[in-house]
């Protein structure tokens, strides 16, 4: 949607807007039932006065192409087609509304949308800043790659053999013993969850998770009818799991190392407790370990390292460390499970990009990956220190937080429950994009996931200044 | 599964096999309920006599680790764990059996598996031969790529902007008018179908298809509860569609150009008829157009070119032309629909490989792609001619076929209905891999999809010789 009216046209701005919207509806591009952006947004896009937009919309309503729904907005009418030409088109809006997969939360759609813009300060992004990505080094490594003649064909179901071997060697350093047949290459950790959701769980199965969870911000399980149960880990865990599982199938989803979004790192004892509790209740564990390379200090081995009964499905990825654009991750588990999930991956997308797989193989084998990680950890540590310094200067009276142990995030807790959609939108109007806590726990209005991995130092400074203003203003509103 | 016993070990071969299988079960790698390969297959893998395998399996049965089920095979016992150590593991086999997604047909699993082997002649493969892939040219183009700093981050929901613009320009030559907001980059055509299945259709929706259909060999719709209805296109089509659709939502899936597997090319009139019939019954069309670049002669524009009401979802891809390993395709449709599907793609895998997208962009923009296509068509034409020549020499008395108009396939029809699983397996034993017609139409035992795109000329010759022998043998068995 980058169109703008032409100021040198013979037609008025209003006429041009009416024609443009009509054309969008006419060629079926804006289907019946599509909700239009707000007048404010349209005025911004078209770079015209809001009154011009208002008049254009009135004209379109009079033509029967648009209709207003009180308190909700302006929509393309369901009979807009009759207003235009005597033709029918599929009722796409109904198709969309009744289909299986849930849409992203509106807040997350806005985050996805605004993350594309250059004029926004991204304070919550789960992604390395462009300057932290080894773009030049990846370009250079492309110049070294040579492919065997079969490399660019369809992949084998579990992915590139050499890459799977290299991954086995790599995870051995984390204490994990795996053979290539225990590995399935996936297009990132999210796809691994998707495959587990449709390939291992019957409908209505239970997914146990911590109360604050990355899984609440995506829907791999919910969208296929699984039931999410948030659970506190405590002494009674085994008993609680067995009780709440009832007769259903279940899995436990955990991020024991640099938890997203809280940044929490489990102790070795905590990992053991979960493993034992899940073993006692025969519940498999999904261990999401995509941040571990970014630990500032050594920690205990992952749960998978203590797994001697094929109970843990382990997920790794290069998205948080090397490049999310490669779309390469891995899933490690019993052969029986891996073969099943690879079979479904073949039915889903016929495998991950062969070129991306070759690049990751090259980075693992050449030692470039671990060298890159060492430098990256240092840069993240500097950014974490800088950000904490800013917080110490301004935020001690309104919020508290734990010192980050690695990764991207500070889980910033405001003393007041002021983080709601309104707060999110107010910051967005000032071109500050945050990841509010409520996308990870719907009941949480105290937290934001503050990322020091993406914004520049200047942006962090400016962004936190504006955030502070908004916090103070919100506290003022609350206290009135 | 590449392990073999060590002939210089102090342990007998049988002992080593017993130990190896025990270890697989012990570490949970072969879950309870896992079916073992046949004795013949194991003997081949281990490079030992079948009697050695048999004795090892007997020993394992006596230990309670394996059990035989009459007429079905040998399985890991459900209490194998108790036989080994006093521990429990998740019952993975039950998880798998009760989960949502259907497994691939066994024939297709075998095809996926045997396609990885170098000692098999692939007579049915839907993939270009390694020598037809521009591997060296892709390597060379990697040396020319430079990335902007954001290129290796997470993609925008609809994919690389520049690539979407280049695709709009590219499809314009096919008569399709599209803007970048009408395009979503996908990881191949199959993913496009998957997104449509979960993002546009309510459970129980109807997918109309031709009786012989690629969709019967994959399950993007079936696996999420859609109902497949095969339909013959005729004068009454609009009426039939309306009747059979009843009150349900529906789509029509079509491959009007170089149909997979039949190779059929629709006339302009046939395309119009489908478009009109679907318009009258308000049924959207999915037009799968991934083979059109491989037409030996010009043909009429695609259905999408006549679409003035946003009714056609158009799918293109580079998998059949440039490299399946890139995993890049595109979906073109109304903005409303594309935004929805991009939102789901973000929830599924966060976008396609950024590097693969950059490569395809480079090939489209530089003109390399169209230059490559011209050469490729010529090579496929030569292969088609060669293969037809072989067929003329040997097969005229047992089969008939149409002259291929492009693409990869000859839809070879045997006079007798001899193509069954047994026929497939008999050929496989002779290291000949075919795509039997029954994976595209369960009732079809007359056809195989013969591909001239993959095997070498020598392999085509040898493969067709053995195929002919098997056909004659099968006819002999039938006539007895």
């Amino acid at each position: 949607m980058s169109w703008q009216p032409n100021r040198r046209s013979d037609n008025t701005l209003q006429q041009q807007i009416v024609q443009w919207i009509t054309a969008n509806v006419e060629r079926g591009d804006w289907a019946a039932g599509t909700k239009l952006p707000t007048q404010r947004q349209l005025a911004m896009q078209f770079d015209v006065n809001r009154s011009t937009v208002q008049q254009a919309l009135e004209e379109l309503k009079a033509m029967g192409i648009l209709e207003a729904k009180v308190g909700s907005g302006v929509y393309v009418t369901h009979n807009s087609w009759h207003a235009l030409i005597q033709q029918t088109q599929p009722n796409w809006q109904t198709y969309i509304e009744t289909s299986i997969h849930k849409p992203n939360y509106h807040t997350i759609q806005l985050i996805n949308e605004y993350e594309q813009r250059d004029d926004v300060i991204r304070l919550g992004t789960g992604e390395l800043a462009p300057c932290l990505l080894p773009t030049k080094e990846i370009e250079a490594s492309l110049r070294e790659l040579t492919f065997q003649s079969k490399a660019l064909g369809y992949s084998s179901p579990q992915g590139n053999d050499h890459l799977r071997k290299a991954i086995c060697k790599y995870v051995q350093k984390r204490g994990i013993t795996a053979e290539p047949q225990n590995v399935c290459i996936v297009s990132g950790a999210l796809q691994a969850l998707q495959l587990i959701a449709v390939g291992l769980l019957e409908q209505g199965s239970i997914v146990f998770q911590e109360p604050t969870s990355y899984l609440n911000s995506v829907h791999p399980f919910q969208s296929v009818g699984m039931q999410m149960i948030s659970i506190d880990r405590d002494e009674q865990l085994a008993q609680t799991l067995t009780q709440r599982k009832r007769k259903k199938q279940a899995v436990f989803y955990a991020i024991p190392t640099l938890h997203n979004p809280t940044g929490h790192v489990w102790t070795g004892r905590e990992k053991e407790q979960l493993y034992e509790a899940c073993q006692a209740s025969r519940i498999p564990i999904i261990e999401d370990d995509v941040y571990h390379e970014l630990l500032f200090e050594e920690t205990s081995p992952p749960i998978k390292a203590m797994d001697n009964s094929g109970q843990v499905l382990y997920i790794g990825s290069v998205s948080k460390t090397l490049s999310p654009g490669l779309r390469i991750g891995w899933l490690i588990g019993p052969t029986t499970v891996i073969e099943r999930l690879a079979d479904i991956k073949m039915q889903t997308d016929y495998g991950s990009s062969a070129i991306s797989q070759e690049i990751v193989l090259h980075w693992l084998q050449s030692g470039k990956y671990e060298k890159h990680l060492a430098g990256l950890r240092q840069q993240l540590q500097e950014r974490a220190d800088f950000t904490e310094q800013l917080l110490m200067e301004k935020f001690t009276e309104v919020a508290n937080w734990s010192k980050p142990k690695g990764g991207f995030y500070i889980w910033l807790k405001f003393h007041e429950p002021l983080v709601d959609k309104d707060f999110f939108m107010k910051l967005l109007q000032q071109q500050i994009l945050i990841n509010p806590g409520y996308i990870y726990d719907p009941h949480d209005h105290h937290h934001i996931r503050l990322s020091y991995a993406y914004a520049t130092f200047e942006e962090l400074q400016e962004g936190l200044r504006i955030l502070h203003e908004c916090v103070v203003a919100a506290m003022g509103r609350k206290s009135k």
Side-chain angles (χ1 to χ4, degrees), chain A:
Chain A
M1 290 241 301
S2 55
W3 177 85
Q4 289 196 336
N6 181 352
R7 284 173 191 279
R8 279 168 298 183
S9 162
D10 291 338
N11 291 330
T12 65
L13 296 173
Q14 182 183 331
Q15 280 169 339
Q16 291 182 59
I17 293 170
V18 167
Q19 282 161 10
W20 182 75
I21 292 179
T22 307
N24 275 322
V25 175
E26 198 165 44
R27 64 165 189 272
D29 207 28
W30 289 10
T34 299
K35 186 178 178 183
L36 265 67
T38 62
Q39 288 189 10
R40 185 206 302 256
Q41 287 169 321
L42 287 172
M44 225 156 70
Q45 185 205 320
F46 298 152
D47 196 18
V48 300
N49 287 332
R50 211 167 132 177
S51 62
T52 310
V53 170
Q54 199 178 356
Q55 283 157 18
L57 297 187
E58 286 307 322
E59 190 177 332
L60 287 157
K61 283 183 219 163
M63 288 163 73
I65 292 171
L66 302 181
E67 63 184 335
K69 290 185 189 168
V70 180
S72 163
V74 176
Y75 293 79
V76 177
T77 51
H78 280 278
N79 55 0
S80 56
W81 274 92
H82 297 290
L84 288 164
I85 31 173
Q86 290 307 319
Q87 210 170 1
T88 48
Q89 64 159 172
N91 196 340
W92 286 120
Q93 208 59 38
T94 310
Y95 274 78
I96 290 171
E97 279 157 18
T98 56
S99 69
I100 295 170
H101 208 292
K102 288 189 192 182
N104 256 320
Y105 294 122
H106 185 234
T107 297
I108 294 173
Q109 289 182 337
L110 285 173
I111 292 174
N112 287 339
E113 185 188 333
Y114 276 82
E115 282 186 348
Q116 303 313 313
R117 290 172 48 161
D118 287 324
D119 57 349
V120 164
I121 295 180
R122 293 159 62 172
L123 287 188
T125 297
E127 178 179 357
L128 288 173
C131 66
L132 295 178
L133 295 175
T135 306
K136 290 292 145 201
E137 290 84 348
I138 289 178
E139 264 179 38
S141 64
L142 290 182
R143 284 155 186 66
E144 293 173 37
L145 287 187
T146 53
F147 302 123
Q148 294 183 315
S149 66
K150 281 195 173 177
L152 300 181
Y154 284 106
S155 159
S156 72
Q158 292 180 216
N160 184 314
D161 284 349
H162 301 288
L163 177 57
R164 286 189 283 133
K165 273 182 204 142
I167 286 168
C168 291
K169 209 171 145 192
Y170 179 68
V171 297
Q172 202 156 33
K173 294 177 198 161
R174 287 277 282 157
I176 296 170
T177 308
E179 299 289 324
Q181 69 267 25
N182 299 122
V183 181
C184 180
I185 307 297
V186 290
S187 300
L190 184 57
Q191 189 182 51
L193 300 178
Q194 197 91 22
L195 293 173
I196 292 169
V198 301
L200 284 184
L201 301 179
E202 70 181 320
Q203 220 139 23
S205 291
I206 289 167
V207 179
F208 291 109
Q209 61 176 353
E210 293 178 274
T212 299
S213 175
Y214 166 64
L215 281 189
N216 287 326
S217 72
V218 287
H219 305 136
F221 296 105
Q222 299 92 316
S223 66
V224 287
M226 304 309 159
Q227 200 186 331
M228 311 302 293
I229 295 187
S230 292
I231 209 155
D232 287 306
R233 288 174 297 118
D234 58 21
E235 295 304 314
Q236 311 302 320
L237 185 59
Q239 213 177 321
T240 317
L241 287 175
T242 308
Q243 274 168 10
R244 303 213 52 186
K245 178 189 170 194
R246 291 181 307 263
K247 301 234 158 173
K248 292 195 175 171
Q249 282 183 5
V251 288
F252 198 111
Y253 172 81
I255 315 180
T257 305
L258 295 172
H259 182 272
N260 176 7
T262 67
H264 188 68
V265 178
W266 297 13
T267 63
R269 184 68 202 116
E270 286 177 316
K271 290 176 196 169
E272 261 171 52
Q273 278 167 343
L274 182 75
Y275 182 70
E276 284 159 12
C278 285
Q279 198 166 51
S281 48
R282 294 193 86 185
I283 293 175
I285 297 168
I286 303 170
E287 181 174 28
D288 186 342
D289 201 28
V290 302
Y291 287 96
H292 79 84
E293 286 104 330
L294 305 179
L295 275 165
F296 297 150
E297 281 167 32
E298 285 283 316
T299 183
S300 55
I303 303 177
K304 183 68 183 166
M306 61 183 87
D307 181 22
N308 53 19
S309 63
Q311 187 189 332
V312 180
L313 305 180
Y314 176 88
I315 299 172
S317 163
V318 299
S319 294
K320 301 301 176 190
T321 52
L322 182 57
S323 151
L326 291 169
R327 308 306 316 123
I328 296 295
W330 45 87
L331 180 60
I332 300 179
T335 306
T336 316
V337 173
I338 292 298
E339 281 178 356
R340 160 69 175 163
L341 299 182
D343 181 49
I344 296 171
K345 181 154 167 68
M346 285 303 268
Q347 295 184 61
T348 306
D349 64 6
Y350 285 126
S352 298
S353 163
I355 310 245
S356 291
Q357 293 188 61
E358 292 281 348
I359 294 172
V360 175
L361 171 63
H362 178 79
W363 276 67
L364 284 176
Q365 276 184 333
S366 63
K368 281 180 191 170
Y369 186 53
E370 291 184 84
K371 205 177 136 203
H372 161 70
L373 289 176
L376 180 60
R377 278 190 291 266
Q378 207 177 339
Q379 286 184 291
L380 286 171
Q381 174 81 71
E382 281 165 25
R383 285 170 159 263
D385 292 345
F386 178 81
T387 306
E388 251 206 293
Q389 191 56 45
L390 291 175
L391 290 177
M392 299 286 271
E393 284 165 19
K394 273 190 177 286
F395 283 78
T396 48
E397 287 183 8
V398 296
N400 59 289
W401 64 92
S402 298
K403 198 172 177 59
K405 293 181 176 169
F408 295 174
Y409 312 122
I410 292 172
W411 186 233
L412 189 64
K413 180 178 186 182
F414 297 107
H415 301 333
E416 305 283 327
L418 48 85
V419 185
D420 53 17
K421 180 88 179 273
D422 188 47
F423 182 77
F424 172 82
M425 292 304 292
K426 281 221 157 58
L427 278 158
L428 201 54
Q429 278 162 24
Q430 300 197 61
Q431 282 148 294
I432 307 293
L433 188 57
I434 59 164
N435 280 37
Y438 64 77
I439 63 179
Y440 307 104
D441 173 0
H443 305 299
D444 183 347
H445 293 98
H446 274 97
H447 288 89
I448 67 170
R449 183 182 85 173
L450 180 62
S451 166
Y452 48 80
Y454 195 86
T456 63
F457 285 70
E458 293 71 31
E459 285 174 338
L460 282 167
Q461 209 151 15
E462 174 69 0
L464 286 174
R465 187 187 63 73
I466 296 172
L467 175 64
H468 187 261
E469 276 175 19
C470 284
V471 168
V472 171
M475 287 172 76
R477 277 196 303 278
K478 296 263 169 206
S479 66
K480 265 174 206 163

